[in-house]
Amino acid sequence: MEQNPDLPQLAILSTGGTIASRIDYRTGAVTSQFDADDILRAIPRLGEIARFRAHQVASILSENMTPPLWIDLARGIYDEIRNGANGVIVTHGTDTMSFSASAISFMLDTPVPVVFVGSQRSADRPSSDNVMNALCSASAALSDLGEVAVLMHASTSDDRCAIHRATKVRKMHTSRRDAFASIGMPPLGYVDYPSLAVSLGDDTVRRRSGEADLHDAIEEKVGLLSFYPGMPADLIAQFEGYRGLVLAGTGLGHVSTASIGALRDLIGGGCHVVMTSQCLYGRVCDRVYDTGRDLLALGVIEGEDMLPEVALVKLMWVLGQHDDPGEVARLMRTNLRGEIRRCSCNGF
Amino acid sequence: MDFEKLGLKAGIEIHQQLNTKEKLFCRCPTRLRDFEERNGEFFRYLRATESEMGEIDRAAEEEMKVMRGFTYATYDTTCLVENDEEPPAPLNTEALSIALTIAKMTGMTPVEQVHVMRKLVIDGSNTSGFQRTALVALNGCLPEGARIETLCLEEEAAQRVEGETFSLDRLGIPLVEITTAPDMHTPEAVQEVARTIGMILRSTGCVKRGIGTIRQDINISIADGARVEIKGVQELDLIDEVVRREAARQVNLLAIRDELRRRNASVTPEPVVVTSLFADTKSPILQRATYIAAVVLRGFDGLVGREIQPGRRLGSEMADYAKKCGVGGIFHTDELPAYGVTAEEVALVRERVGAGETDCVVLVAAPKERALCAAQQVVRRAELALGGVPEETRKLLEGGSSSYMRPLPGAARMYPETDVLPVRIRAKRWEVIELPELISGKAERFAAEMGLDEALARQMAYSEKAGVFERAVESGVRASLAARTLLGTLRELSREGVAVDRLEDAALLDVLTRAESGALAKEAIPGVIAEICGGLSVDAAVSKVAPAMSEDELLALIRAILSTRAEFVQERGMGALGPLMGVVMKEARGKADGRLISELLKKELRQRV
């Protein structure tokens, strides 16, 4: 298929997303058939916006995503940027899209937009959100944005898409088109449809010149545990041998007094433990109640206002880069990619 | 018209809403709402998708000529499934049971597994862009000998409120779709078959009633014509007229074809731009137009304006096709000069496009892209006229004529609904289905066993109140009283604006038994029912409209009657009890219980004898 040489260059990397997919009648699942021609045939208007290079990093359901695939993806994006792409679109299943987006966010320092996009309604139905999301993602990938983002419907209507920061976004609904929400901050911006006009907030990291920087080492031996009332302490002990554990505690960041002993052993064994909150909104503070103070005394790291999954991915990455416990703790408490905000915003 | 000679073949598809508690693929109630009750709106686009064969359905493609957005109204009785924001729930088993009952009533064979399919519909009436439909049974037959080909369970579409705005309350209500073979050869036969199927559906007691709850699509063709499907016929009595008019339309289109062939007519596929000719026109539409295209139809003069159905011309058909591109309509030289277009302007156009006297010129005025799209559609319809009758899906117009909607859907239209698991129909489930009594049989029984005259029996059997009627008669109410109340009184009250549809069967039964026992005067029935509909309990309504006499009042009444009839009492002794009972009952006008009257009367009489 002819592409217009006067248009800017974009790259599309697929991990098994639904931009150009069909039903597989054997399994009933949606499969993607993926090259630039397929995409342009499915969504002709893309060809009026940019030139496209496309390649497939994986073809999986997003629940089967793994840290090694994040590394493949980060390298693929890095190569595209080095080869002159003005922006990169990553199509991804929505279930674990925010994990992958935040992983790329930590691994890759990008001067151009890297936009993750998916669809909540499969491409085989006339009402699919795939065409609108894809067109808006292309527009966002050409915009002034200069960070990793997730782009999906802003509401149930086909009127605009929201651009979310990769480290502050979460899938908050099982099925709605507007399932993705920025947590603890407003979206970075919006893309109107069908005009495809992009508006970015002041907070957004802007496109810049210079090279992309890749640090793709990941420590996989990190866990995430959501505390619940009556949770037996030996569940914590199961993480023995892990290099890191993120806890999703209650409220301000608590686990039961009965868990303290097991955590002491774990930390004593060299595991880095980071506390986040099941509340998702707000900041962890372990200085208010006794249990919290006990946790701090053990060496539990306060995860500030990081989302539990983002803290998990960040801890994997930090441990991939550093061994020194003091440096690990310092980095976990330091904002690297917008995952920690200096101030908690009004409202939620 | 001799329809058999014309080779008329007709079949019907009947769509009947089922009165289930919940919708077909979600757990929302099947309740219709007022548009004013909506609690939200959203906006969507739909686009035709390729089938698994990589084809786009021709009917869907037609709807896609313009990118259309749709607005949907939501209610507190609709959910994310209607919004196309949640996968469908499993198939409603209550709806499936009703569908299977209907299938068994018509001697059909159920499928082993019910597979839900998606039928592409992108006119906005389904948020998903498809209608879910499932084949339930095959091959039945009707008493008249007409064959039923299939019975499907489908979801009802959203109701169009106006323009491109739809209401989601109706979307997802279960429907059965019954398709007959094209076995009917006269308009009357079509109507008769529709009537019979309607009667069978109602006999289940599980279908919705009222306007819009049953719709017929009619498939019609004549020899040398083409299959045309006319959608959305709601009135049974209009069916024969619809068939007659469609047969006539096909006859007339064939006559036009023959005349075109005789004239060696042809269509010039490239439209000519004539915008500049109308720079100073008096026609308001052409004045506003930024682009005017002319299509030359060689040899078509006089035929575009020829009537093919009451109120419809070949030109109307061309206009229908053109409207798919978002234009308001077309002009053609058979109807000009008119609408502000002068004879001079017509002559200028004819000259510019090189049209002779035997040619017809069609004008389309709109923004460029739409005008060119519409011109192409006119060319397409004109070429179809050279071939006779095109296969089409058509929309019913008032009176029985029809307008073009889209081509008949092709095979690319259906594909599997992968979000709903198939349902197995086990032999046991089929065997235990009990067949309900047919309404026609019920009418005969009401006449024979309950002494109602034939017309009244028939009316009673078809009524929604047939069940209450039977229960009332079983509990001792006279059939005539029950029928008169359930048919006559309720209708009269409804005409007076009383909300009789709120009336519960139990309350009606209570009122009827009180009236039968004499505890309530028959004259008081309408007043009592009106009060119940207004929200009172049966007891409260009775004491408000027909308050019971106190024992003292009743005693005074009895004594007064006994004194004026002293002679009769002397003469008959205790034998006067029977005749006097009637007198007191009449005077009490249902305000006292019959047993109490009898007791007091007996006591008073004994003292005097």
Side-chain angles (χ1 to χ4, degrees):
Chain A
M1 208 175 270
E2 286 276 307
Q3 298 205 40
N4 182 346
D6 299 332
L7 292 173
Q9 180 74 54
L10 289 180
I12 300 184
L13 272 66
S14 163
T15 64
T18 56
I19 278 195
S21 58
R22 292 221 178 107
I23 285 186
D24 176 335
Y25 283 93
R26 186 180 55 81
T27 61
V30 173
T31 63
S32 55
Q33 287 137 39
F34 208 81
D35 62 41
D37 276 4
D38 282 335
I39 299 165
L40 292 172
R41 203 176 303 116
I43 311 172
R45 194 178 161 196
L46 280 174
E48 299 166 18
I49 301 173
R51 285 176 293 142
F52 289 91
R53 284 197 300 261
H55 75 260
Q56 190 156 1
V57 177
S59 181
I60 53 162
L61 296 169
S62 82
E63 57 269 34
N64 296 328
M65 181 54 79
T66 59
L69 284 173
W70 292 342
I71 296 171
D72 290 348
L73 182 60
R75 289 176 184 168
I77 298 169
Y78 178 69
D79 289 344
E80 286 295 347
I81 297 171
R82 279 170 60 94
N83 287 335
N86 293 83
V88 179
I89 297 167
V90 180
T91 67
H92 200 293
T94 55
D95 279 11
T96 66
M97 184 155 69
S98 66
F99 287 80
S100 299
S102 66
I104 300 304
S105 191
F106 290 113
M107 289 192 277
L108 182 74
D109 188 7
T110 175
V112 301
V114 175
V115 182
F116 279 73
V117 66
S119 103
Q120 284 284 82
R121 308 274 90 189
S122 58
D124 58 294
R125 54 174 71 211
S127 60
S128 174
D129 49 342
N130 73 323
V131 172
M132 173 172 150
N133 289 354
L135 286 165
C136 289
S137 73
S139 194
L142 292 172
S143 75
D144 210 20
L145 187 72
E147 58 179 303
V148 183
V150 167
L151 177 140
M152 292 289 286
H153 264 56
S155 75
T156 190
S157 288
D158 289 344
D159 53 4
R160 65 175 185 170
C161 283
I163 307 170
H164 305 279
R165 174 161 289 159
T167 53
K168 280 292 179 194
V169 68
R170 204 163 189 281
K171 189 177 186 181
M172 297 297 282
H173 196 279
T174 58
S175 59
R176 284 178 62 123
R177 286 165 174 74
D178 56 354
F180 282 77
S182 285
I183 305 293
M185 69 178 289
L188 296 174
Y190 294 96
V191 183
D192 283 332
Y193 187 81
S195 76
L196 302 188
V198 179
S199 56
L200 295 176
D202 296 339
D203 224 6
T204 312
V205 179
R206 303 285 157 155
R207 181 190 285 274
R208 56 199 177 277
S209 54
E211 293 290 307
D213 202 4
L214 180 70
H215 298 280
D216 59 8
I218 284 272
E219 170 58 61
E220 285 189 58
K221 209 86 176 123
V222 179
L224 171 60
L225 180 63
S226 193
F227 173 77
Y228 56 91
M231 187 178 87
D234 59 8
L235 212 53
I236 292 171
Q238 297 297 313
F239 287 93
E240 196 191 318
Y242 274 61
R243 288 196 65 207
L245 173 66
V246 173
L247 288 169
T250 56
L252 283 166
H254 299 128
V255 289
S256 65
T257 311
S259 308
I260 300 284
L263 280 174
R264 183 180 294 117
D265 294 346
L266 201 63
I267 292 169
C271 182
H272 298 270
V273 177
V274 178
M275 180 61 76
T276 58
S277 174
Q278 299 167 7
C279 296
L280 306 178
Y281 285 91
R283 195 176 299 268
V284 161
C285 180
D286 278 316
R287 283 144 287 152
V288 180
Y289 296 102
D290 281 351
T291 329
R293 291 179 187 191
D294 291 345
L295 290 170
L296 289 181
L298 295 181
V300 168
I301 305 161
E302 286 177 302
E304 299 285 337
D305 62 340
M306 275 189 289
L307 289 164
E309 315 84 70
V310 173
L312 168 79
V313 172
K314 183 178 177 183
L315 189 53
M316 287 175 160
W317 182 76
V318 168
L319 288 172
Q321 319 300 314
H322 301 278
D323 287 326
D324 175 56
E327 183 64 2
V328 170
R330 188 187 69 80
L331 286 172
M332 286 310 292
R333 285 194 300 261
T334 307
N335 175 39
L336 303 176
R337 292 287 188 264
E339 75 279 11
I340 294 175
R341 311 234 337 138
R342 295 282 301 167
C343 300
S344 306
C345 71
N346 290 308
F348 67 98
Chain B
M1 250 188 275
D2 182 341
F3 293 101
E4 308 220 8
K5 213 165 169 187
L6 279 177
L8 176 74
K9 280 211 286 192
I12 39 181
E13 261 176 40
I14 292 197
H15 301 89
Q16 167 74 64
Q17 289 179 5
L18 303 183
N19 196 20
T20 50
K21 198 163 161 278
E22 294 170 345
K23 289 185 174 177
L24 193 53
F25 292 108
C26 72
R27 303 299 167 239
C28 288
T30 60
R31 218 178 104 202
L32 293 184
R33 305 295 299 273
D34 284 334
F35 187 58
E36 284 64 38
E37 295 176 299
R38 68 192 182 279
N39 64 1
E41 282 182 5
F42 61 91
F43 177 83
R44 294 275 172 74
Y45 296 100
L46 292 174
R47 45 182 64 75
T49 47
E50 293 179 359
S51 74
E52 68 267 40
M53 307 303 285
E55 293 166 13
I56 290 185
D57 174 59
R58 61 181 180 178
E61 201 175 10
E62 178 89 358
E63 298 284 357
M64 277 282 287
K65 293 213 182 291
V66 239
M67 179 161 151
R68 284 159 70 191
F70 307 98
T71 301
Y72 298 96
T74 63
Y75 300 85
D76 57 8
T77 48
T78 62
C79 73
L80 290 184
V81 173
E82 286 97 331
N83 295 7
D84 188 47
E85 285 280 43
E86 185 174 299
L91 185 78
N92 180 334
T93 50
E94 185 191 4
L96 181 58
S97 293
I98 300 169
L100 287 171
T101 304
I102 295 164
K104 199 166 178 180
M105 288 168 82
T106 48
M108 301 183 82
T109 307
V111 296
E112 280 180 27
Q113 278 194 346
V114 178
H115 285 265
V116 179
M117 302 290 284
R118 298 171 174 177
K119 190 155 63 177
L120 212 58
V121 181
I122 55 166
D123 62 1
S125 63
N126 286 71
T127 46
S128 55
F130 49 75
Q131 180 186 31
R132 296 188 186 92
T133 177
L135 178 65
V136 173
L138 294 155
N139 301 327
C141 71
L142 295 173
E144 285 83 358
R147 286 171 302 144
I148 295 179
E149 286 180 341
T150 56
L151 183 144
C152 293
L153 201 49
E154 296 193 334
E155 55 181 354
E156 176 67 286
Q159 173 93 47
R160 192 187 292 270
V161 179
E162 61 172 354
E164 304 287 38
T165 299
F166 292 84
S167 180
L168 291 182
D169 52 340
R170 203 181 72 179
L171 179 63
I173 292 178
L175 289 178
V176 284
E177 183 206 61
I178 295 178
T179 307
T180 74
D183 287 346
M184 283 77 86
H185 303 293
T186 65
E188 295 74 23
V190 181
Q191 188 152 318
E192 200 43 46
V193 166
R195 193 182 301 280
T196 303
I197 295 175
M199 185 274 291
I200 290 171
L201 290 170
R202 280 185 169 201
S203 297
T204 62
C206 298
V207 301
K208 289 205 184 273
R209 321 234 336 204
I211 295 166
T213 57
I214 185 164
R215 295 190 300 275
Q216 281 92 5
D217 295 348
I218 312 174
N219 278 292
I220 307 160
S221 67
I222 62 169
D224 210 19
R227 185 163 86 85
V228 162
E229 178 177 299
I230 297 174
K231 290 195 94 69
V233 186
Q234 299 197 9
E235 290 165 69
L236 196 58
D237 294 336
L238 195 59
I239 290 178
D240 55 344
E241 180 65 13
V242 171
V243 177
R244 247 176 248 125
R245 288 199 188 184
E246 177 56 26
R249 195 184 71 95
Q250 297 202 10
V251 167
N252 289 328
L253 284 175
L254 291 175
I256 288 175
R257 175 199 67 183
D258 295 344
E259 176 65 14
L260 288 170
R261 286 183 182 169
R262 202 185 55 75
R263 295 185 191 176
N264 213 3
S266 66
V267 180
T268 314
E270 289 304 317
V272 184
V273 190
V274 294
T275 322
S276 59
L277 297 184
F278 292 93
D280 302 314
T281 184
K282 294 276 187 297
S283 157
I285 296 171
L286 296 182
Q287 220 168 40
R288 277 198 306 273
T290 51
Y291 194 90
I292 305 172
V295 177
V296 186
L297 308 176
R298 304 259 174 231
F300 275 68
D301 184 63
L303 297 177
V304 178
R306 184 188 278 185
E307 188 171 86
I308 53 173
Q309 236 185 2
R312 302 276 308 173
R313 292 151 210 290
L314 179 56
S316 328
E317 303 287 322
M318 291 175 177
D320 291 341
Y321 275 65
K323 283 174 188 168
K324 295 289 165 192
C325 302
V327 304
I330 59 169
F331 294 103
H332 56 82
T333 48
D334 283 2
E335 57 176 3
L336 298 176
Y339 312 116
V341 180
T342 62
E344 293 72 42
E345 286 169 333
V346 175
L348 276 174
V349 168
R350 281 188 179 277
E351 193 191 321
R352 169 71 63 89
V353 302
E357 269 179 19
T358 55
D359 305 334
C360 176
V361 184
V362 177
L363 297 175
V364 193
K368 184 175 175 184
E369 206 174 313
R370 282 189 201 178
L372 288 175
C373 169
Q376 226 162 44
Q377 285 283 87
V378 170
V379 168
R380 211 178 115 209
R381 184 62 188 88
E383 280 168 349
L384 288 170
L386 296 171
V389 185
E391 287 193 343
E392 289 170 341
T393 303
R394 298 179 64 85
K395 184 172 76 187
L396 180 73
L397 301 173
E398 215 173 312
S401 294
S402 64
S403 64
Y404 167 74
M405 275 174 91
R406 52 181 179 248
L408 280 183
R413 193 186 186 200
M414 289 265 232
Y415 61 112
E417 166 57 275
T418 46
D419 296 343
V420 180
L421 296 176
V423 181
R424 179 182 289 279
I425 298 178
R426 298 181 189 281
K428 183 96 201 291
R429 179 173 192 177
W430 178 253
E431 281 159 19
V432 298
I433 294 172
E434 284 182 33
L435 298 186
E437 181 184 24
L438 282 182
I439 289 175
S440 51
K442 196 173 282 202
E444 284 167 24
R445 185 162 58 79
F446 287 176
E449 293 175 12
M450 299 179 187
L452 295 184
D453 75 58
E454 223 167 89
L456 194 62
R458 202 178 135 77
Q459 213 187 337
M460 196 65 251
Y462 271 88
S463 158
E464 273 181 276
K465 299 292 177 206
V468 198
F469 170 77
E470 288 206 69
R471 267 183 290 151
V473 173
E474 274 165 29
S475 56
V477 178
R478 270 164 299 145
S480 56
L481 171 66
R484 194 166 353 107
T485 307
L486 294 171
L487 295 172
T489 308
L490 290 187
R491 191 183 320 120
E492 283 151 25
L493 285 171
S494 164
R495 272 189 207 138
E496 288 165 19
V498 177
V500 292
D501 49 339
R502 270 192 230 155
L503 209 54
E504 294 197 5
D505 288 354
L508 266 174
L509 206 56
D510 193 355
V511 170
L512 284 170
T513 40
R514 285 180 199 225
E516 185 62 48
S517 74
L520 174 69
K522 288 181 203 71
E523 299 88 333
I525 291 177
V528 168
I529 291 178
E531 290 297 339
I532 296 171
C533 294
L536 293 187
S537 68
V538 178
D539 282 334
V542 168
S543 50
K544 182 172 177 192
V545 174
M549 276 182 160
S550 68
E551 212 172 309
D552 287 346
E553 285 171 315
L554 181 61
L555 203 57
L557 176 71
I558 289 172
R559 286 180 179 153
I561 289 171
L562 288 177
S563 333
T564 52
R565 290 170 173 75
E567 218 169 287
F568 179 66
V569 171
Q570 288 309 320
E571 199 175 292
R572 302 280 285 270
M574 285 311 281
L577 183 65
L580 286 177
M581 184 72 198
V583 178
V584 180
M585 286 284 280
K586 196 175 166 209
E587 290 289 317
R589 300 178 67 81
K591 290 178 183 181
D593 183 59
R595 244 179 317 177
L596 181 65
I597 296 173
S598 156
E599 196 181 300
L600 290 178
L601 183 62
K602 213 182 278 177
K603 209 164 101 194
E604 286 297 309
L605 203 55
R606 203 169 280 138
Q607 284 175 7
R608 286 167 199 243
V609 177

